[in-house]
Amino acid sequence: MSQPLTATRLTTARTSIFPLRHPPPLCSFLFVIVLIVATFYTLHHPDSTPPLLFPRNPHNPLALRRLFLSSASNATVASYLRALTRHPHLAGTKPSLDTLTYVLNHFQSLGLDDTHLAEYEALLSYPTHISVAARFSNGTKMEFDLNDVVHGGDDDDVVVRPYHAYSPSGSAQGDVVFVNHGEERDYRALESIGVSVRDCVVLARKGESLGRGGIVKIAEARGALGVLIYAENDGGGLGGIERGTVMRGIGDPVSPGWPGVVGGEKLRVGDNRVTKRFPKIPSLPLSLHNAEIILASLGGARAPVEWRNSGRVGWGQRVGPGLTVVNMTLQGELKMKKIHNVVATIRGSEEPDRYVILGNHRDAWTYGAVDPNSGTSALLDIGRRFSLLLESGWRPRRTILLCSWDAEEFGMIGSTEWVEENVLNLGASAVAYLNVDCAVQGSGFFAGATPQLDGLLLDALRLVQDPDDVALTVEDTFKSQNNVIERLSRVDSDFSGFLHHAGIPSIDMYYGADYPVYHTAFDSYDWMIRNADPLFHRHVAMAGIWGLLGIILADEPVLPFDYISYAEQLQAHRDALSKLLQGKVSVDPLSMAIQEFSIIAKEVKDEAKKLEEQAYSKNDVAAAVRRRELNDRMMLAERGFLDSEGIKGKEWFKHLVYGPAAEPESKLGFFPGVADAIATNSSEGMIEHEIWRVARSIQRASKALQGGFT
């Protein structure tokens, strides 16, 4: 398999600084005793902190990290997840306030330096009525069941019915046309066999490359009346229906580009800047079972060859239109709701004005055991373990923020509003953002990162025992099973505002490539303990990795950023682009900019190595000043990739190396402006201009990394 353009393959051999694999016999015995004592204690005291198990030595990084890892408790994390998922907690609903109170009280109980709410007002979307009915060629009619709850449960009345947030209210009736994944190439395939979707209702199966909002946008442009979307993974046979948003862009739609603070400016719902974020045709999700009933009834043309033999049960290989007519109705309401972010602070001792931020969202479409509260429970446990370190005498060099975001499912609203409100301070003082959304979906560790954090991530993986093989570290299994750190051009979690808008180095992590109950009523605590993580070993591993990354970034005198890795990744992107362009447009501006960046990255690495050798000398004031100055340069370099004009068509997104392409068929997972220009068959001059924009952004990053002025 060829290496993805959006990822980097990791092959560098490293030596573990915390060898869990072959510890000395006595150390191994003592460490096992410590883990048994810690686990026994927390089983009986799940909401309290275990007694100190290591000597107080806040100046010993190795002992500190061992203390952090040894204070893990599977039972405690499980208790957090159980409490978080007792009821559905969709943002803006009354049950969501119970989850808010639980998280807020937890952080306040730990005695951290500060825990407060950051509140905003946002326009959220809810359904009041949904229905889908079909009339078949033999004259029979069928009203489809659009519920996926287990009837008789205590929460039947508060599990939101499957819908697409921000889909317009209305009805659509027409012949059904199956459009495969709903991508432009699928419509071209239909055109090649004489099929048009104009004035029809389209049925699409959700794929990997195009989100539900993109599916609806293309169908709308093609003249469809409505859209039905199903996921082939329907909850592992449980009949789940995938909810989701179809809003374009992220953040509160009535405060685009500025924070939706309480009492602040809000656009009218009818304002063009708001309505352009919403589709013009209705859409609804369907279960796989209901989709197969429709598919089996279709007449019309035979499906394009490349769509056949896809494994769909009962499909007669016809795409319509003809034989089957669908009537779909959605009535919804848009409501202004107050949303609540929780921010807990551990103030730094030496550089309190530099911030390491750990974030996870709290709201869920239903019960949210995987998405997002597997991550929430890990964040709560990190807070508990950090409080233990504080009791031992530790105080991080830099300030740590633990953030619980609200309304992510509607379009990363809570984190986006917070970024917009704090964008200047973030630009001046944020070291990194560490995101975990779904901590545990299944087996196997996966991660995405900006390239200067690759080495740091591997260092953390090396310190944590693999949850599925006690003889290995997470790094061992990661390199044998995956070995790819993705790049963060996607827009599907809360890192987006930090990286794509504010230029903050970021990491996003999760266990398991995907899971069958995504956004369904079956994403519950019971499903978690029966399928994804029965003993919560993976939760503990993720909390260990996440917390260690925070500790290292907050404590290391010299930030562990490697811009040589970034330079190598930029060169790989340049080579891939050159191959795609086949000499039609010159990439020389990129080549020159990357060469300069590489030289400066090497100089910075050498400078960092010298300063690391002097890092723990308390009396060398001059060295401390030089470290601070170097750290600031490394911290600010990522901001250089931002461009004030943003990505054409998605101007809020400013990052010209990693960001979302406006065109779904863009062939690159990087340089989004260049990718869009190629995808839209723009002139060579326009492609060249976008290449120059990226080159200038790399030059800005080089200047920031080098420091000083021209």
Side-chain angles (χ1 to χ4, degrees):
M1 183 179 294
S2 60
Q3 178 179 338
L5 297 178
T6 57
T8 181
R9 188 161 295 276
L10 305 164
T11 57
T12 305
R14 296 174 182 264
T15 303
S16 174
I17 61 172
F18 183 32
L20 294 176
R21 201 171 175 183
H22 301 293
L26 179 59
C27 291
S28 178
F29 174 75
L30 291 175
F31 195 71
V32 169
I33 293 298
V34 164
L35 290 176
I36 292 173
V37 172
T39 302
F40 181 83
Y41 183 90
T42 49
L43 279 171
H44 296 280
H45 305 82
D47 294 318
S48 62
T49 299
L52 293 179
L53 302 174
F54 287 99
R56 294 178 182 266
N57 188 359
H59 303 296
N60 186 327
L62 182 59
L64 180 78
R65 294 166 194 178
R66 283 176 171 165
L67 174 56
F68 174 78
L69 291 174
S70 70
S71 61
S73 166
N74 304 50
T76 301
V77 179
S79 71
Y80 294 153
L81 186 64
R82 185 70 189 95
L84 289 163
T85 58
R86 289 187 184 277
H87 305 284
H89 43 283
L90 183 62
T93 64
K94 290 182 179 179
S96 72
L97 298 179
D98 294 336
T99 313
L100 165 68
T101 301
Y102 183 81
V103 171
L104 181 65
N105 288 345
H106 173 80
F107 283 131
Q108 289 176 335
S109 72
L110 297 177
L112 305 180
D113 296 311
D114 175 66
T115 299
H116 67 272
L117 296 179
E119 297 180 321
Y120 304 93
E121 292 173 328
L123 186 70
L124 305 184
S125 164
Y126 305 95
T128 58
H129 171 76
I130 59 173
S131 66
V132 177
R135 185 179 72 249
F136 302 108
S137 59
N138 61 5
T140 60
K141 297 180 181 180
M142 182 176 186
E143 182 86 21
F144 291 109
D145 183 0
L146 301 182
N147 285 310
D148 62 350
V149 298
V150 179
H151 295 290
D154 293 338
D155 296 309
D156 282 3
D157 57 336
V158 291
V159 176
V160 68
R161 298 190 74 191
Y163 78 114
H164 290 159
Y166 302 106
S167 175
S169 294
S171 297
Q173 178 173 307
D175 291 345
V176 179
V177 177
F178 176 61
V179 295
N180 198 30
H181 294 304
E183 301 175 19
E184 287 286 3
R185 61 183 175 182
D186 295 320
Y187 286 93
R188 290 195 293 268
L190 288 173
E191 288 175 343
S192 71
I193 58 174
V195 174
S196 169
V197 302
R198 183 166 295 280
D199 297 329
C200 294
V201 173
V202 303
L203 175 64
R205 59 182 179 123
K206 189 163 174 266
E208 295 182 0
S209 61
L210 189 62
R212 64 187 72 81
I215 293 173
V216 176
K217 181 179 180 181
I218 294 173
E220 178 184 316
R222 291 279 180 164
L225 299 177
V227 183
L228 297 171
I229 303 175
Y230 70 96
E232 288 191 301
N233 206 344
D234 71 334
L238 297 172
I241 305 177
E242 182 185 309
R243 297 146 180 83
T245 182
V246 291
M247 182 176 69
R248 296 158 190 170
I250 65 175
D252 173 33
V254 294
S255 58
W258 64 87
V261 296
V262 177
E265 180 188 8
K266 305 291 190 299
L267 299 178
R268 291 179 174 82
V269 174
D271 190 293
N272 179 61
R273 289 169 289 179
V274 178
T275 57
K276 72 178 183 180
R277 302 274 300 274
F278 307 151
K280 300 294 189 295
I281 60 174
S283 66
L284 283 170
L286 275 185
S287 68
L288 175 61
H289 173 70
N290 289 340
E292 287 176 339
I293 292 173
I294 296 174
L295 284 169
S297 72
L298 293 180
R302 283 183 60 80
V305 175
E306 59 269 26
W307 297 7
R308 299 176 195 172
N309 302 318
S310 65
R312 288 186 295 281
V313 178
W315 183 34
Q317 307 292 324
R318 301 284 178 176
V319 297
L323 300 185
T324 300
V325 175
V326 158
N327 187 315
M328 57 180 291
T329 299
L330 166 67
Q331 292 298 323
E333 55 186 357
L334 296 170
K335 291 184 175 182
M336 291 301 301
K337 292 285 188 175
K338 184 176 285 188
I339 61 173
H340 317 266
N341 298 330
V342 181
V343 181
T345 303
I346 303 173
R347 189 168 177 81
S349 60
E350 298 183 36
E351 298 182 70
D353 59 341
R354 295 293 178 263
Y355 297 87
V356 176
I357 306 169
L358 285 67
N360 156 268
H361 77 93
R362 186 181 65 253
D363 64 298
W365 286 113
T366 62
Y367 298 92
V370 174
D371 182 8
N373 299 134
S374 59
T376 312
S377 60
L379 185 67
L380 297 183
D381 197 54
I382 288 170
R384 179 188 66 82
R385 293 201 242 173
F386 281 176
S387 71
L388 170 63
L389 300 186
L390 291 169
E391 289 183 9
S392 77
W394 170 72
R395 172 66 58 175
R397 176 185 296 268
R398 304 177 186 92
T399 296
I400 296 175
L401 301 181
L402 305 176
C403 300
S404 173
W405 311 118
D406 200 0
E408 186 270 356
E409 296 294 6
F410 287 90
M412 282 69 80
I413 293 179
S415 61
T416 297
E417 301 312 302
W418 193 82
V419 167
E420 288 178 337
E421 184 174 23
N422 296 283
V423 65
L424 290 180
N425 289 343
L426 286 168
S429 57
V431 172
Y433 176 68
L434 309 175
N435 188 70
V436 172
D437 191 324
C438 305
V440 181
Q441 304 177 154
S443 63
F445 179 82
F446 295 84
T450 46
Q452 76 274 55
L453 298 177
D454 286 353
L456 167 65
L457 178 58
L458 288 178
D459 287 343
L461 299 186
R462 192 175 309 116
L463 304 182
V464 178
Q465 181 177 283
D466 186 86
D468 301 305
D469 189 336
V470 296
L472 301 174
T473 67
V474 178
E475 184 199 29
D476 294 329
T477 54
F478 175 67
K479 285 191 170 182
S480 65
Q481 297 175 3
N482 184 8
N483 203 32
V484 170
I485 297 178
E486 299 173 344
R487 296 300 167 225
L488 297 176
S489 289
R490 52 191 168 86
V491 183
D492 58 3
S493 193
D494 291 300
F495 62 81
S496 182
F498 288 89
L499 175 60
H500 301 147
H501 189 71
I504 311 301
S506 298
I507 293 177
D508 181 56
M509 304 174 290
Y510 49 98
Y511 257 93
D514 53 29
Y515 66 108
V517 295
Y518 175 70
H519 286 188
T520 75
F522 301 102
D523 184 6
S524 65
Y525 182 84
D526 286 343
W527 187 89
M528 176 65 73
I529 62 175
R530 292 174 181 172
N531 297 276
D533 199 15
L535 299 178
F536 285 81
H537 293 319
R538 292 168 185 160
H539 282 77
V540 167
M542 180 58 77
I545 297 163
W546 197 7
L548 283 175
L549 287 169
I551 290 172
I552 295 169
L553 284 166
D555 271 354
E556 285 296 308
V558 177
L559 289 176
F561 287 2
D562 181 5
Y563 277 97
I564 292 179
S565 176
Y566 216 130
E568 292 170 348
Q569 185 68 90
L570 289 172
Q571 184 61 50
H573 293 338
R574 178 262 176 212
D575 293 344
L577 176 61
S578 179
K579 182 178 180 180
L580 180 64
L581 291 173
Q582 298 180 330
K584 296 176 182 177
V585 179
S586 173
V587 296
D588 287 347
L590 281 177
S591 301
M592 292 184 290
I594 294 169
Q595 182 179 18
E596 177 190 19
F597 186 88
S598 300
I599 292 170
I600 294 172
K602 177 63 168 62
E603 293 172 350
V604 165
K605 190 173 184 67
D606 292 341
E607 183 181 356
K609 185 176 180 180
K610 292 177 182 178
L611 288 173
E612 285 170 358
E613 296 170 355
Q614 309 165 17
Y616 293 98
S617 175
K618 294 183 178 180
N619 299 321
D620 193 341
V621 177
V625 171
R626 290 196 299 273
R627 282 197 303 273
R628 167 83 170 193
E629 190 263 344
L630 172 63
N631 286 339
D632 281 356
R633 286 189 275 130
M634 290 194 291
M635 180 183 72
L636 294 172
E638 188 75 41
R639 283 35 144 202
F641 298 120
L642 303 179
D643 185 280
S644 60
E645 295 181 2
I647 301 168
K648 186 177 180 181
K650 290 191 173 184
E651 285 77 11
W652 188 87
F653 298 92
K654 308 295 184 184
H655 206 291
L656 296 190
V657 176
Y658 299 117
E663 295 299 322
E665 295 198 341
S666 295
K667 292 183 172 60
L668 300 174
F670 49 86
F671 303 162
V674 179
D676 283 341
I678 295 172
T680 56
N681 296 313
S682 298
S683 66
E684 292 181 3
M686 181 57 68
I687 296 172
E688 187 176 70
H689 172 65
E690 290 296 336
I691 289 173
W692 270 109
R693 289 183 71 203
V694 177
R696 286 191 290 270
S697 77
I698 297 172
Q699 290 170 343
R700 288 193 296 272
S702 295
K703 295 300 182 186
L705 196 56
Q706 186 177 40
F709 299 93
T710 55

